[in-house]
Amino acid sequence: FEATMPIRRYRYEVSAPAALPLSRTLMRDAHPGTVTSQTNVAGNRIIYRWDLQDVPRYFEEPGMPEAYSQVQRLVLSTVPDWPTVSRWYWNLSKPHLDASSPELAARAAELVAGATTEREKVERLFRFVSQQIRYMGITTETDAPGYEPHDVRLTFANRYGVCRDKAALLVAMLREAGLAGFPVLIHNGPKKDPEVAAPFFNHAIVAVREADGSYLLMDPTDENTSDLLPAYLSDKSYLVASPEGDPLRTSPVAPATNNLVRIDTEGTLARDGRLHFATRMVFEGINDNMYRGHLARPARSRGRHRRRGPTALAAGPDRGSS
């Protein structure tokens, strides 16, 4: 409801079935006095109308956030709240999580054998799905394309899948190991509106519910990360899919000190004036993630890796150094 040119007059109208009315309608960052609204019933339809008049333009600035997250805008949904979306995605995923196989269960048990802590179990299962299941999608979805995962036994047997498939497989393996794993929808972009729920996310990851009720997040799509959750997914809106329904949450922010490149150089000056030195670079957090993928790319021509994600290339789980 705001543009890079002034709006003299504009009308936005929604014709909804009476059986599916809008549950939430909110104006955000409003210009007072520029928008009026009315609702009318016409037979079996509900007509929602918003009229704009004399809305001033906004001016774009370099590096500004997405305009749709800042300007005067209408946010609406037929969904009453975020727990409803949480339950919807749980119910959509649950049959596929339950579609396990003896081979999958045996592999999960093998991976966690000898682990002394829950965190060690989590990390072992995460590394397997992250690095041994390729990122690739060539099979179709049925009920909710873009959201519905495939049966976990299929992803496990094929050794490939897209983000929701890899997430579902990790959840299933965590549950086989006795851990409280859940699928998670996350939006890698501007934050979702906390009051108006809508099932529009662009990525799927995984959460494990810990003893204190908090969630440990992880992204098995990214095999370059040395952390369970790469730093670029910090401060993002996410929704845990659970049978009881969960509220919208925000992912934790990785401290800057976790995302450094540490450079140590030692040198000696010889009697002939020559300087001999060695430099060691240690990449941490987001830098480890970025450089690990970059440094792996030359191996493409030698066939030493397989592509498993949008930027995912084969590499070991340890923190990178060279």
Side-chain angles (χ1 to χ4, degrees), residues 30-43:
H31 288 285
T34 62
V35 182
T36 59
S37 63
Q38 58 179 312
T39 303
N40 298 302
V41 178

Side-chain angles (χ1 to χ4, degrees), residues 118-119 122 180 182 207-217 228:
E118 286 196 355
R119 182 59 179 257
V122 166
F182 298 90
V208 169
R209 183 181 289 161
E210 302 195 280
D212 61 359
S214 64
Y215 288 110
L216 175 66
L217 299 176
L228 294 177

Side-chain angles (χ1 to χ4, degrees), residues 59-86:
F59 294 84
E60 292 182 312
E61 298 180 7
M64 69 178 285
E66 294 287 351
Y68 72 81
S69 69
Q70 305 298 315
V71 302
Q72 175 174 253
R73 60 198 180 278
L74 172 68
V75 189
L76 51 83
S77 178
T78 59
V79 182
D81 52 34
W82 285 111
T84 299
V85 182
S86 170

Side-chain angles (χ1 to χ4, degrees), residues 108-315:
E110 177 187 348
L111 286 166
V112 300
T116 57
T117 65
E118 286 196 355
R119 182 59 179 257
E120 187 178 357
K121 292 179 180 180
V122 166
E123 291 185 351
R124 290 184 184 186
L125 295 169
F126 171 82
R127 299 298 174 200
F128 171 78
V129 177
S130 170
Q131 298 179 3
Q132 300 302 317
I133 307 300
R134 290 180 297 160
Y135 183 93
M136 183 170 67
I138 58 175
T139 51
T140 58
E141 300 87 10
T142 55
D143 294 338
Y147 287 88
E148 181 188 15
H150 292 94
D151 289 351
V152 294
R153 62 169 173 257
L154 179 65
T155 304
F156 178 79
N158 289 339
R159 291 297 198 271
Y160 67 76
V162 293
C163 64
R164 56 191 175 273
D165 301 318
K166 296 187 68 170
L169 176 59
L170 180 54
V171 170
M173 298 186 79
L174 288 165
R175 288 179 167 263
E176 290 282 2
L179 300 168
F182 298 90
V184 174
L185 296 172
I186 192 167
H187 189 69
N188 190 9
K191 288 190 177 69
K192 307 292 290 183
D193 192 287
E195 297 181 71
V196 182
F200 303 129
F201 293 85
N202 56 16
H203 194 31
I205 60 172
V206 175
V208 169
R209 183 181 289 161
E210 302 195 280
D212 61 359
S214 64
Y215 288 110
L216 175 66
L217 299 176
M218 61 199 82
D219 182 8
T221 300
D222 188 348
E223 72 173 29
N224 290 330
T225 181
S226 58
D227 304 309
L228 294 177
L229 188 72
Y232 57 76
L233 290 180
S234 294
D235 199 33
K236 305 298 183 184
S237 294
Y238 74 92
L239 186 68
V240 177
S242 68
E244 62 272 15
D246 210 71
L248 187 70
R249 301 173 185 266
T250 302
S251 58
V253 176
T257 52
N258 292 356
N259 296 283
L260 301 178
V261 178
R262 302 182 186 273
I263 305 174
D264 295 319
T265 300
E266 293 185 2
T268 57
L269 182 62
R271 287 183 179 275
D272 61 3
R274 295 181 181 181
L275 177 65
H276 299 269
F277 64 89
T279 295
R280 182 174 184 267
M281 303 175 67
V282 179
F283 303 88
E284 300 175 343
I286 189 65
N287 284 292
D288 176 57
N289 185 272
M290 293 171 62
Y291 280 94
R292 186 182 294 267
H294 176 74
L295 296 173
R297 287 193 183 97
R300 182 187 305 257
S301 61
R302 301 190 297 273
R304 295 183 182 176
H305 82 276
R306 293 176 297 169
R307 182 176 177 88
R308 293 192 179 93
T311 58
L313 302 169

